[in-house]
Amino acid sequence: MPGDLVFDLFEQYGPKLYEYNVRSFLQARGKVNKGIRDTLINEPDRFLAYNNGIVATASEIKIETEYSHPIIKSVRGLQIVNGAQSTASIHRAKKVDGADLSNVSLAAKFSLLKGEVDENFVANVSLYANSQN
């Protein structure tokens, strides 16, 4: 997932993106967030290798094929259930520190929720994704 896209999503939706996340962004003072920020500023091309990425749920995902590869065209009902610190750190690094995100990428795993939102499922995805070592 491109860093600029993550920035744009947070710019538009803010913390609503991860309202089901069991943890919240802890500011750049914490060791983890400082490390994320330092990587974004000093080694943006290594962000994908150093960062765990995000885990998200969605109520709808539209996929099209381009050049024989599936491409996500749109997502509805996006909730980042793990990766709030990365998301907010990416936003802050560009907005506050002026970081160039053009070489920043991060992994993204989506779980498609079919039918009504099962809040227990969403809560468990968030809980387990945030608690596994």
Side-chain angles (χ1 to χ4, degrees):
M1 187 172 212
D4 282 317
L5 175 58
V6 174
F7 173 86
D8 291 343
L9 287 169
F10 191 86
E11 186 74 3
Q12 184 170 354
Y13 299 104
K16 290 180 194 175
L17 280 174
Y18 44 81
E19 62 190 6
Y20 290 128
N21 195 316
V22 297
R23 295 187 297 181
S24 61
F25 183 55
L26 303 172
Q27 301 300 325
R29 292 185 302 258
K31 188 176 185 179
V32 172
N33 292 320
K34 184 175 183 327
I36 292 170
R37 182 178 165 270
D38 289 347
T39 300
L40 288 165
I41 293 169
N42 300 318
E43 299 178 286
D45 56 323
R46 295 188 176 188
F47 192 78
L48 178 65
Y50 294 170
N51 186 273
N52 290 333
I54 63 170
V55 177
T57 60
S59 57
E60 181 182 318
I61 301 174
K62 290 188 180 178
I63 298 173
E64 295 180 9
T65 302
E66 291 184 11
Y67 304 107
S68 302
H69 296 286
I71 305 291
I72 295 174
K73 288 298 189 173
S74 67
V75 176
R76 182 179 301 259
L78 177 69
Q79 276 292 295
I80 296 173
V81 296
N82 187 12
Q85 292 181 31
S86 297
T87 303
S89 293
I90 287 170
H91 183 265
R92 183 188 190 284
K94 181 173 181 175
K95 189 104 176 179
V96 175
D97 302 317
D100 177 8
L101 302 178
S102 61
N103 291 321
V104 172
S105 295
L106 67 159
K109 178 175 84 171
F110 292 92
S111 292
L112 180 60
L113 304 174
K114 295 186 178 185
E116 288 186 38
V117 174
D118 180 351
E119 291 191 24
N120 287 328
F121 175 77
V122 173
N124 283 338
V125 170
S126 178
L127 176 66
Y128 298 142
N130 279 298
S131 62
Q132 294 180 356
N133 292 328

